[in-house]
């Protein structure tokens, strides 16, 4: 029977158009599979691919066939690396077969069929690893929505308080509260995507110099969130020189977390705390801060979530004279005070900001006040090693290809290894954008070494040409 595993009878794309079959996997699908059989076969194939995909076997095969209306799932892979993977996959195959066949039997008896997403109980061997088999099948569990906005007084008292404020401020507050009442006071908790473990591995490969932060803080946090637990990510401070990829990392992390794009707050550019905590009703142009805005209405076309990602950029360059932007951070970084955060433009209401993921960046730790440092996990992000820069450059090129939606090779000319050996990820990104544009302009679907700009993006001079470069701070 094993030999038949390698004799496909129908195109995978024909029966399962959304499943991307890897090169190392041979799939045999019976064209007589029922709709439920195809659905459960796809679940098994996705789990099988994810479990084995990180260490791609030399060969693997899956056969899903219909025998008298019953689903039979068979598999084989080589080399075998022990009994654990085989036992886990076998348990999953048995569970999916039982689910299909139980439903099939119910239909024969004209009984109410079992829903296809109700998995039967099945025993799994103890797993030592970082994949959640049930999560592969059912996806991450959803956290309950969070009551984000709260009023300290009842509706009548609140109305009287708002009416007692200055005319323009009172009208603006009343309009905001009315709009908020229509949108609801709770916000959903975003869950990581079903393939979060693969994405975490990709994140670590793409940002090798962030490995300590990923393994220490982010991986455990995402794993708990995938279990439907409202775990709070401890505030993180990424410490390192400019251009080492902190901004790219934050964007990639938001995609992994399943949240809207990060809310970037440039602390160095602020002269007061209004961006974070709003401006006081004392001022005629008082308005809410961006934290409230993102939690209340969402941003960038994305619906609001309670656990979005906020990046506080360059907190070591914050203005510390007068109305310091750092003031509200002392409350925001502590869980119990963040749960009762108040925007200065809306003093009659508090909101729960404790589920926000906070990532701060800095170049000089000595310039970050000690009370703030004590509230964050500090990770020193080093310049990537020369051997790691090639991987980063490939990922930057892949991002460009995805963004531009063009058919283009993700391979780099070997000659570029010498060019990028002492460059920062930021300068590689700037140079890659120029090289990519030159290749497309020349109507090529690949990069040549000549596409790489002769001027260094970090201001240093290339050996090929003695000319002044442009800088990027």
């Amino acid at each position: 029977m094993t030999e038949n595993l390698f004799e496909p009878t129908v195109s995978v794309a024909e029966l399962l158009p959304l499943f991307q079959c890897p090169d190392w996997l041979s799939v045999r699908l019976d064209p007589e599979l029922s709709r439920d059989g195809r659905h459960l076969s796809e679940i098994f194939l996705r789990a099988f691919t994810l479990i084995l995909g990180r260490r791609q076997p030399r060969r693997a095969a899956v056969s899903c066939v219909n025998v008298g209306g019953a689903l039979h799932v068979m598999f084989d892979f080589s080399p075998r690396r022990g009994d654990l993977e085989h036992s886990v996959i076998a348990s999953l195959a048995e569970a999916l077969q039982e689910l299909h066949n139980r439903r099939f039997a119910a239909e024969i008896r004209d009984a109410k069929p079992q829903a296809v997403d109700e998995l039967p109980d099945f025993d799994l061997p103890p797993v030592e690893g970082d994949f959640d088999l049930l999560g592969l099948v059912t996806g991450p569990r959803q956290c309950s929505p969070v009551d984000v906005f709260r009023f300290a007084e009842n509706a009548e008292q609140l109305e009287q308080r708002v009416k007692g404020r200055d005319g323009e401020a009172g009208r603006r507050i009343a309009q905001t509260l009315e709009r908020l009442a229509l949108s609801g006071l709770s916000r959903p908790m975003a869950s990581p995507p079903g393939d979060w473990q693969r994405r975490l591995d990709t994140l670590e490969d793409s940002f090798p110099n962030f490995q300590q932060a990923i393994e220490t803080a982010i991986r455990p946090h995402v794993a708990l969130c995938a279990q439907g637990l409202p775990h709070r990510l401890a505030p993180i401070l990424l410490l390192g020189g400019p251009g080492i990829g902190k901004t790219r990392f934050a964007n990639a992390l938001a995609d992994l977390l399943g949240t809207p794009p990060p809310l970037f707050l440039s602390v160095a550019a602020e002269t007061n705390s209004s961006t974070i905590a709003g401006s006081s009703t004392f001022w005629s142009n008082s308005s809410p801060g961006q934290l409230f805005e993102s939690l209340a209405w969402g941003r960038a076309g994305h619906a609001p979530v309670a656990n979005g990602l906020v990046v506080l950029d360059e907190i070591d360059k914050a203005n510390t004279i007068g109305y310091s932007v750092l003031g509200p951070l002392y409350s925001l970084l502590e869980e119990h005070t963040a749960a009762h955060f108040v925007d200065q433009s809306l003093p009659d209401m508090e909101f729960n900001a404790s589920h926000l993921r906070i990532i701060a960046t800095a170049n000089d730790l000595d310039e970050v006040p000690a009370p703030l440092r004590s509230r964050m996990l500090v990770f020193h992000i080093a310049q990537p090693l020369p051997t790691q820069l090639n991987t980063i450059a490939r990922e930057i090129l892949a991002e460009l290809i995805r963004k531009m939606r063009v058919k283009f090779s993700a391979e780099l000319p070997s000659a570029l290894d010498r060019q990028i050996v002492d460059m920062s990820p930021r300068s590689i990104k700037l140079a890659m954008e120029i090289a990519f544009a030159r290749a497309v302009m020349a109507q090529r679907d690949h990069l040549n070494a000549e596409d790489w700009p002769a001027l260094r993006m970090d201001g240093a001079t290339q050996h090929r040409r003695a000319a002044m470069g442009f800088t990027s701070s």
Side-chain angles (χ1 to χ4, degrees):
M1 197 167 200
T2 302
E3 294 179 357
N4 293 333
L5 292 176
F6 298 93
E7 298 176 7
T9 58
V10 68
S11 167
V12 178
E14 183 179 343
L15 283 188
L16 305 176
L18 299 180
F19 175 70
Q20 298 295 321
C21 187
D23 294 337
W24 49 265
L25 177 60
S26 175
V27 179
R28 178 178 184 264
L29 293 177
D30 190 337
E32 298 299 321
L33 286 172
S34 65
R35 178 181 177 183
D36 290 342
R38 292 196 299 271
H39 181 193
L40 295 172
S41 296
E42 182 174 4
I43 289 176
F44 179 83
L45 286 169
R46 289 183 182 278
F48 185 90
T49 302
L50 184 55
I51 292 171
L52 297 182
R54 293 173 60 188
R55 291 175 286 179
Q56 296 183 2
R58 285 196 299 269
R59 70 182 183 95
V62 171
S63 177
C64 302
V65 297
N66 182 338
V67 180
L71 173 66
H72 283 257
V73 178
M74 297 163 285
F75 66 93
D76 189 19
F77 60 94
S78 171
R80 291 274 293 273
R81 301 179 180 83
D83 294 331
L84 175 60
E85 289 173 328
H86 189 278
S87 298
V88 169
I89 295 172
S91 296
L92 175 61
E94 292 172 4
L96 296 179
Q97 288 174 157
E98 180 184 352
L99 175 59
H100 178 278
N101 300 339
R102 188 186 300 172
R103 178 183 177 92
F104 176 69
E107 290 176 339
I108 292 177
R109 296 191 305 267
D110 293 327
K112 180 181 179 181
Q114 180 183 9
V116 79
D117 57 354
E118 294 177 1
L119 289 173
D121 295 332
F122 58 100
D123 295 324
L124 289 176
V127 175
E128 293 180 3
D130 57 359
F131 64 85
D132 171 14
L133 181 61
L134 189 59
L136 298 178
V137 179
T138 62
R141 302 174 188 174
Q142 298 291 321
C143 293
S144 300
V146 174
D147 290 331
V148 171
F149 302 99
R150 294 184 295 267
F151 303 99
E153 301 165 309
N154 62 40
E156 184 177 347
Q157 291 173 320
L158 179 61
E159 183 180 2
Q160 293 301 318
R161 178 182 287 271
V162 172
K163 286 181 178 179
R165 298 194 177 277
D166 293 339
E168 183 59 33
R171 282 191 295 273
R172 181 185 52 75
I173 293 174
Q175 290 172 355
T176 301
L177 298 182
E178 181 179 356
R179 182 183 174 191
L180 195 60
L182 292 175
S183 69
L185 303 181
S186 64
R187 295 294 179 265
M189 294 278 282
S191 296
D195 59 345
W196 63 269
Q197 297 186 66
R198 180 189 63 80
R199 294 187 184 218
L200 258 176
D201 293 336
T202 301
L203 185 72
E204 193 168 324
D205 292 340
S206 303
F207 298 89
N209 48 335
F210 290 77
Q211 182 179 15
Q212 185 183 22
I214 293 172
E215 292 301 322
T216 303
I218 293 170
R219 188 178 292 274
H221 169 68
V222 179
L224 291 175
C225 291
Q227 294 296 317
L229 302 176
H231 181 258
R232 180 179 187 260
L233 177 66
I236 291 174
L237 173 59
L238 301 176
L239 182 67
I244 59 175
K246 298 187 290 290
T247 299
R248 285 184 57 245
F249 176 77
N251 280 302
L253 179 60
D255 181 63
L256 164 68
L257 295 171
T259 68
L263 171 61
F264 279 93
L265 302 178
S266 179
V267 178
E270 300 299 323
T271 58
N272 55 57
S273 62
S274 61
T275 297
I276 297 175
S279 52
S280 172
T281 56
F282 173 81
W283 303 103
S284 59
N285 60 348
S286 172
S287 62
Q290 292 191 41
L291 283 186
F292 171 84
E293 294 279 351
S294 64
L295 283 169
W297 326 125
R299 51 183 303 275
H302 296 270
V305 296
N307 57 344
L309 179 61
V310 178
V311 178
L312 305 171
D313 202 22
E314 297 186 315
I315 64 170
D316 54 332
K317 297 180 177 62
N319 168 42
T320 56
I321 301 175
Y323 297 99
S324 172
V325 67
L326 299 180
L329 296 186
Y330 295 98
S331 297
L332 185 64
L333 297 178
E334 293 282 3
E335 182 175 10
H336 63 282
T337 51
H340 303 278
F341 202 78
V342 175
D343 189 288
Q344 294 185 77
S345 74
L346 300 166
D348 306 303
M349 180 197 69
E350 61 183 30
F351 61 92
N352 184 356
S354 66
H355 295 285
L356 293 175
R357 284 86 170 233
I358 308 293
I359 292 183
T361 72
N363 302 142
D364 186 352
L365 186 61
D366 292 337
E367 295 298 321
V368 180
L372 280 186
R373 295 201 303 264
S374 68
R375 288 168 164 81
M376 294 182 284
L377 297 175
V378 181
F379 294 99
H380 294 260
I381 310 300
Q383 172 74 17
L385 298 174
T387 55
Q388 298 171 334
L389 288 172
N390 186 273
T391 300
I392 293 173
R394 290 175 184 274
E395 179 59 29
I396 290 173
L397 176 58
E399 287 180 3
L400 274 173
I401 295 171
R402 289 192 295 268
K403 180 180 179 181
M404 298 299 175
R405 299 180 180 178
V406 296
K407 185 177 180 180
F408 201 89
S409 172
E411 293 300 314
L412 297 178
S414 58
L416 290 187
D417 289 346
R418 297 190 301 274
Q419 304 294 332
I420 66 177
V421 68
D422 60 345
M423 297 176 68
S424 70
R426 177 185 292 172
S427 58
I428 291 174
K429 180 176 184 294
L430 292 172
M432 188 69 73
E433 290 172 347
I434 293 175
F436 179 81
R438 286 177 171 175
V440 173
M441 187 172 60
Q443 298 184 340
R444 278 187 277 106
D445 63 355
H446 61 278
L447 289 181
N448 288 339
E450 293 73 20
D451 295 325
W452 202 254
L455 301 182
R456 283 289 295 270
M457 303 301 105
D458 52 10
T461 304
Q462 290 271 33
H463 66 276
R464 291 188 293 165
R465 183 181 299 176
M468 182 178 296
F470 58 91
T471 62
S472 174
S473 58

